[in-house]
Amino acid sequence: MTEEELMLQQLFDEDKLTDKQKKIIVAAIETFSEKGYAASSTSEIAKKAGVAEGTIFRHYKTKKELLVSIVAPLMTKFIAPLVVKDFNKVLDREFETVEDFLKATIENRRDLLIRMLPVVKIMFQEIPFQPELREQFFELVVENIFDRVEKVIVGYQEKGQLIDMPPKSIARLTITNILGFLISRYVLFPHLDWDDELEIERTIQFIMHGVGKKN
Amino acid sequence: MTEEELMLQQLFDEDKLTDKQKKIIVAAIETFSEKGYAASSTSEIAKKAGVAEGTIFRHYKTKKELLVSIVAPLMTKFIAPLVVKDFNKVLDREFETVEDFLKATIENRRDLLIRMLPVVKIMFQEIPFQPELREQFFELVVENIFDRVEKVIVGYQEKGQLIDMPPKSIARLTITNILGFLISRYVLFPHLDWDDELEIERTIQFIMHGVGKKN
DNA sequence: CTCTGAAATGAGTGATTACTCACTCCGATT
DNA sequence: AATCGGAGTGAGTAATCACTCATTTCAGAG
């Protein structure tokens, strides 16, 4: 079983999928990620999947339904657990400092995040144009995850490790920097020389201490 | 003539454009920004511009040339001056602190950036898929602007106002946060309540001092 | 006014699009 | 063996796509 199929298992294993269905999903992810949703034709996806074009429409009523069926599980089954799981550890005081928590979270999940990147890329590419996705993203990420993130932040604030800024702003700024690193690293400038460990360290340092020199 | 009108003129008025040409550009920006490049049809753009479809292809050989002719000037004539202009002030010691410089830059240009946002949105949407744009973006922004940004950063480092992190990383992190704010504010969650002044203040505070509490 | 060349037109092109449907295939059930 | 239902097929559909081109419109020069 290839690495990619493993990733798909985590995402789509719940329902029993036939071989052809899996191949369609793999081909769709690859095509959408490379060319964008609108520029990808169902005939090309079918060809890449080694499947008749009609087979796609047996399982997905429309092309958009294929897109949603790929991106939606990412939001409900991947992002939420990704964040929430380690948050419980934080709430259990397994991490003394925010740095440790951030480092553990990013380091632990980095390989997984890299592997999910094609789908993540599709997600952020299409959110501005697909109201269905935007709504789902908003409900899950903003209202659901931000609530939990806020609690963690408040916890660290009470421990005196975080400044008194509103938790929503802290969450926005922190997530921005993690995503900003990933997008710079793997989407915009993947061909530059990157010392990943070091740059993650710097990103965490930046989140915690900024770039201003303390006096 | 205001600074902004000058900018827009520099963007699209350099060559004498007919009324219809201007209408095509405006309609194209609006359509590309709303639906994405691939999902926008030339017939729709023509209709929105009040122009025959053939008129588009009289001035732009292909649809892609229309895209490039919109985005390319933004990179060569807008982004560079936007950044560079105030940098000269910094180099002239007009701003004593990094905070003042960041605040002045963001505040001064915010309205302009908001108005340019449709084009900026198109730019970042299409960079992953258009090698031509990516190459141009890389050459201009990374090699050209980053070089200048580095000098400014080094200057502030020598004044003891910035930590000893490599200038490239500082630049990446700073730009990430400014763009992250704009994308959150105007692309992902424009419908949320935002106190812009306050959130810009927080973003600057974050860039300078992070979220860790000093002891 | 006429002449001229660029600007603009819109019907028309073949290719491609998302999607349909009558059909075959095949393993499980009775 | 007969039946059945879902999986898969691929030729076919109307619509739309980017793009072309012969023709018309129009503004300025003589």
Side-chain angles (χ1 to χ4, degrees):
Chain A
M1 181 174 283
T2 69
E3 210 173 350
E4 191 157 326
E5 279 164 349
L6 260 170
M7 169 196 96
L8 287 177
Q9 253 207 345
Q10 288 183 333
L11 263 188
F12 306 107
D13 201 53
E14 193 176 348
D15 315 310
K16 303 171 200 167
L17 298 181
T18 65
D19 265 3
K20 305 240 169 186
Q21 280 177 305
K22 290 176 189 169
K23 281 180 184 171
I24 289 172
I25 290 175
V26 171
I29 290 175
E30 191 179 326
T31 312
F32 287 160
S33 183
E34 276 175 11
K35 317 178 71 172
Y37 167 74
S40 303
S41 70
T42 50
S43 69
E44 186 187 352
I45 294 170
K47 199 176 172 185
K48 188 174 281 182
V51 148
E53 200 174 349
T55 309
I56 292 178
F57 291 96
R58 174 145 306 271
H59 300 288
Y60 308 95
K61 270 181 283 185
T62 64
K63 184 186 165 191
K64 186 176 289 184
E65 192 179 300
L66 174 60
L67 169 72
V68 172
S69 78
I70 286 172
V71 177
L74 177 83
M75 299 204 267
T76 58
K77 294 180 190 165
F78 175 75
I79 291 185
L82 173 78
V83 179
V84 169
K85 191 179 175 186
D86 282 349
F87 275 7
N88 292 331
K89 292 185 186 172
V90 177
L91 296 173
D92 295 343
R93 296 286 191 271
E94 284 196 27
F95 297 106
E96 263 310 302
T97 66
V98 185
E99 283 96 329
D100 289 343
F101 164 63
L102 279 177
K103 191 173 180 179
T105 303
I106 297 178
E107 291 283 335
N108 278 346
R109 308 294 184 160
R110 189 157 60 97
D111 289 343
L112 187 54
L113 279 169
I114 292 168
R115 225 172 305 156
M116 303 297 296
L117 205 85
V119 194
V120 175
K121 186 178 170 185
I122 296 170
M123 189 176 94
F124 280 99
Q125 281 287 339
E126 292 308 317
I127 277 180
F129 304 124
Q130 309 290 346
E132 194 175 349
L133 288 183
R134 187 166 56 241
E135 196 175 324
Q136 202 172 350
F137 175 73
F138 186 78
E139 285 174 12
L140 180 77
V141 176
V142 178
E143 296 176 1
N144 216 324
I145 293 190
F146 263 45
D147 278 355
R148 284 177 159 264
V149 174
E150 275 190 47
K151 287 179 187 167
V152 176
I153 290 172
V154 169
Y156 277 119
Q157 282 177 328
E158 285 169 355
K159 284 172 77 176
Q161 290 193 20
L162 289 177
I163 58 176
D164 210 24
M165 190 183 287
K168 274 209 168 70
S169 295
I170 292 184
R172 172 182 76 75
L173 290 161
T174 306
I175 292 169
T176 286
N177 277 278
I178 293 173
L179 286 179
F181 165 69
L182 291 170
I183 292 171
S184 301
R185 170 66 181 84
Y186 296 105
V187 180
L188 291 179
F189 314 118
H191 56 292
L192 291 181
D193 280 336
W194 289 85
D195 185 335
D196 289 343
E197 301 291 334
L198 195 56
E199 208 60 31
I200 289 174
E201 192 73 38
R202 283 179 188 141
T203 302
I204 293 173
Q205 181 193 340
F206 176 80
I207 291 172
M208 294 309 299
H209 306 108
V211 290
K213 201 159 193 173
K214 298 173 186 174
N215 297 320
Chain B
M1 181 172 284
T2 69
E3 207 172 355
E4 178 180 323
E5 280 164 348
L6 266 169
M7 283 286 183
L8 290 173
Q9 253 208 344
Q10 284 185 334
L11 261 188
F12 302 114
D13 264 16
E14 188 182 4
D15 313 312
K16 300 169 198 167
L17 299 180
T18 66
D19 266 2
K20 306 241 171 188
Q21 280 177 307
K22 290 176 190 169
K23 282 180 184 172
I24 289 172
I25 289 176
V26 170
I29 289 175
E30 191 179 328
T31 312
F32 287 161
S33 183
E34 276 174 11
K35 316 178 68 171
Y37 167 75
S40 302
S41 70
T42 50
S43 69
E44 186 187 352
I45 294 171
K47 199 175 171 185
K48 187 174 281 182
V51 148
E53 199 173 349
T55 308
I56 292 178
F57 291 96
R58 175 144 306 270
H59 300 289
Y60 308 95
K61 270 180 284 185
T62 64
K63 182 186 166 191
K64 185 175 288 184
E65 192 178 299
L66 174 60
L67 169 72
V68 172
S69 80
I70 287 173
V71 177
L74 178 83
M75 298 203 271
T76 58
K77 293 179 189 162
F78 175 74
I79 291 186
L82 175 78
V83 178
V84 167
K85 190 180 177 187
D86 281 350
F87 275 7
N88 293 331
K89 292 184 185 172
V90 177
L91 294 173
D92 294 342
R93 296 287 190 271
E94 283 196 29
F95 297 105
E96 263 310 303
T97 66
V98 186
E99 283 97 328
D100 291 342
F101 164 63
L102 280 177
K103 191 173 179 180
T105 302
I106 296 178
E107 292 283 336
N108 277 347
R109 309 293 185 162
R110 189 158 60 96
D111 289 342
L112 185 55
L113 279 169
I114 291 169
R115 210 160 306 182
M116 302 300 295
L117 205 84
V119 193
V120 175
K121 186 178 170 184
I122 296 171
M123 188 177 96
F124 281 100
Q125 280 288 339
E126 291 309 317
I127 277 179
F129 304 124
Q130 310 290 346
E132 193 176 347
L133 289 183
R134 187 166 56 241
E135 197 175 323
Q136 201 172 350
F137 175 73
F138 186 78
E139 285 174 12
L140 178 76
V141 176
V142 178
E143 296 175 2
N144 216 326
I145 294 190
F146 263 45
D147 278 354
R148 283 178 160 263
V149 174
E150 274 190 48
K151 286 178 188 167
V152 176
I153 290 172
V154 169
Y156 277 117
Q157 282 176 329
E158 286 169 356
K159 285 172 74 177
Q161 290 192 20
L162 290 176
I163 57 175
D164 210 24
M165 189 183 286
K168 273 209 170 67
S169 296
I170 291 183
R172 172 182 76 76
L173 289 161
T174 305
I175 292 170
T176 287
N177 278 279
I178 293 173
L179 285 180
F181 165 69
L182 292 171
I183 292 170
S184 301
R185 171 67 181 85
Y186 296 105
V187 180
L188 291 180
F189 313 118
H191 56 293
L192 289 181
D193 279 338
W194 289 84
D195 184 336
D196 289 343
E197 300 292 333
L198 194 57
E199 208 61 29
I200 289 174
E201 192 73 38
R202 283 179 188 141
T203 303
I204 293 173
Q205 181 192 341
F206 176 81
I207 292 172
M208 294 308 299
H209 306 108
V211 290
K213 199 161 193 172
K214 298 172 187 174
N215 297 319

